[in-house]
Amino acid sequence: AEVDRATFYALLLRGWQLAAGAVSVVLIGWFFSRAVHGYYYTFWSLLALQTFFELGMCLVIISAASHEWSKLRLDERGEITGDPAALSRLVSLGRWIAVWYGGLALAFTLVVGVAGVVFFSLKPTAEISWFRPWLLLVVFSGGLLWTLPWNALLEGCNQVTAVNRFRLWQAIAANVAVWAAISWGAGLWAAVATAAVRLAAELYFLGWRYRRFFQPFWRPAAGPRIDWRADIWPMQWRIAISGTFSYFEYFLFTPILFYYHGPVIAGQMGMTWTLVTALQGAALAWVQARAPLFGMLVARRDYRELDRVYFRLTGISLAALAAGCCAAWGLVWGLYWSELWLAERLLPPLATAIFLAATVLYQWPRCQDFYLRAHKREPLWWLNAISSVLIGLCVWQFGARYGAMGAAIGYAGAVLVFILPGKMYLWERCRRDWHS
């Protein structure tokens, strides 16, 4: 089943997220009003505006670091050893992202904080006190944004097992915190609690667990350095464009339904989309956990082994997602059939089925992105950008008129008609040209 330790922890994480999500659904349904429910999920959708600041840079970091790590390793003390030139280039990469992400985190905190205040003021709900929770949540999220590239650097250095294990424990701690906050009647402050716990865990993991790994990064690189213009920029600007527009592909659903149809249906959309993306992320773990391996195989020009591993992992990922989506739809149908009160917090079975089917179709192109980026290239940047904009437009037009069902049809139509055939064709052409 191609489950190594990194994949094992990634699957445990996704399994925990699904189980914890079920507990959260019950607690939110019991302690939150339907309006607070809608605000809660809209908070998280607006925080996803960080894609306009992060610009997909973590994907570039993983790819660049994996190529350098093919000549390096960790010793028994947790320190980096190996080729001095490769270490120097890796250190220069780390020092560059420290400055880059520091500026991004500050800009995100200021811009998204103000944008959220303006958005929620457009359609105020008198009984909901959202202002202070929102501002503090943005501050903690800015801190989390700054820690993001360091985890990506560790992943690129083939520390995926440790990173995934940490994310599992971090998720458990954050879920316990949010459950306690919800049960104590904290309302929207529950979102602040989970962000605070996640940030504290990140600081411990990076500052203590990997303190020896990061020791060389405190000093300037002594030898060769990563050439930003030659090694980073050609891939970064392409990922930045596609990454910027990815917000419309993943996070526009809930704000649109919130604006046009109110917080109640936005809450249903948010909870259903959380379920869908959790399934997609769990199935993607097989491919995502091997991204550093893909990069090292490309650096060694071992394309035969690259294809063998990739095709096998992609097949497993698709099968796992299809099985998970069938089980999830059966659960939603069962809730509605039995007329349990929890059913009203999720979208109806038909809309849910359309979202799940489109997610299965979209899984193969998502796997292909990891394959292509292992070559330190981003040839489909323009197609990714167009795809995201197309999804956003379809969801906006159909969702504004026909609610959640319209959003589901718009999303599935964009995937089936344009994204799937376009990406399949271009991926095969790139693979043939690069490896010949």
Side-chain angles (χ1 to χ4, degrees), residues 294-313:
F294 293 165
M296 289 186 283
L297 290 174
V298 171
R300 299 166 186 160
R301 304 183 67 84
D302 191 353
Y303 299 133
R304 183 182 298 276
E305 178 65 10
L306 172 68
D307 286 350
R308 185 196 70 79
V309 175
Y310 166 77
F311 282 115
R312 181 170 177 81
L313 294 175

Side-chain angles (χ1 to χ4, degrees), residues 130-373:
W130 55 266
F131 183 75
R132 286 184 295 174
W134 167 252
L135 291 185
L136 194 56
L137 178 60
V138 171
V139 171
F140 286 139
S141 298
L144 286 167
L145 177 59
W146 187 79
T147 66
L148 196 62
W150 303 110
N151 283 287
L153 188 71
L154 288 172
E155 288 189 66
C157 294
N158 208 27
Q159 303 304 301
V160 184
T161 299
V163 172
N164 286 347
R165 183 171 56 238
F166 158 72
R167 286 174 177 163
L168 173 62
W169 291 113
Q170 181 191 41
I172 293 173
N175 282 127
V176 171
V178 76
W179 294 340
I182 292 173
S183 302
W184 292 338
L188 294 176
W189 288 99
V192 181
T194 188
V197 170
R198 288 182 59 212
L199 179 58
E202 289 280 3
L203 296 177
Y204 167 79
F205 179 68
L206 299 172
W208 178 255
R209 169 67 175 79
Y210 272 94
R211 65 189 185 282
R212 297 185 185 277
F213 176 93
F214 287 112
Q215 279 180 352
F217 295 85
W218 290 97
R219 300 181 297 274
R225 303 189 177 193
I226 289 283
D227 185 342
W228 178 78
R229 187 178 298 274
D231 298 322
I232 302 297
W233 178 244
M235 185 177 180
Q236 184 194 355
W237 73 263
R238 292 173 170 85
I239 288 185
I241 292 176
S242 60
T244 298
F245 289 106
S246 67
Y247 180 85
F248 304 112
E249 177 180 330
Y250 289 102
F251 304 107
L252 197 62
F253 304 90
T254 304
I256 284 179
L257 295 181
F258 184 98
Y259 183 81
Y260 286 102
H261 301 282
V264 174
I265 192 172
Q268 292 178 321
M269 181 69 248
M271 190 166 287
T272 300
W273 189 245
T274 299
L275 172 64
V276 171
T277 53
L279 290 169
Q280 180 259 321
L284 201 60
W286 272 274
V287 179
Q288 191 172 15
R290 308 298 175 87
L293 174 62
F294 293 165
M296 289 186 283
L297 290 174
V298 171
R300 299 166 186 160
R301 304 183 67 84
D302 191 353
Y303 299 133
R304 183 182 298 276
E305 178 65 10
L306 172 68
D307 286 350
R308 185 196 70 79
V309 175
Y310 166 77
F311 282 115
R312 181 170 177 81
L313 294 175
T314 299
I316 295 172
S317 177
L318 287 169
L321 181 59
C325 286
C326 289
W329 183 84
L331 175 64
V332 173
W333 179 85
L335 289 173
Y336 269 85
W337 179 80
S338 59
E339 298 182 351
L340 292 176
W341 62 272
L342 192 58
E344 67 182 14
R345 299 305 177 101
L346 294 162
L347 292 179
L350 182 55
T352 301
I354 296 174
F355 274 120
L356 291 171
T359 300
V360 173
L361 291 176
Y362 206 169
Q363 188 75 347
W364 199 332
R366 287 192 174 104
C367 294
Q368 291 171 341
D369 287 337
F370 288 95
Y371 183 97
L372 297 175
R373 287 167 184 157

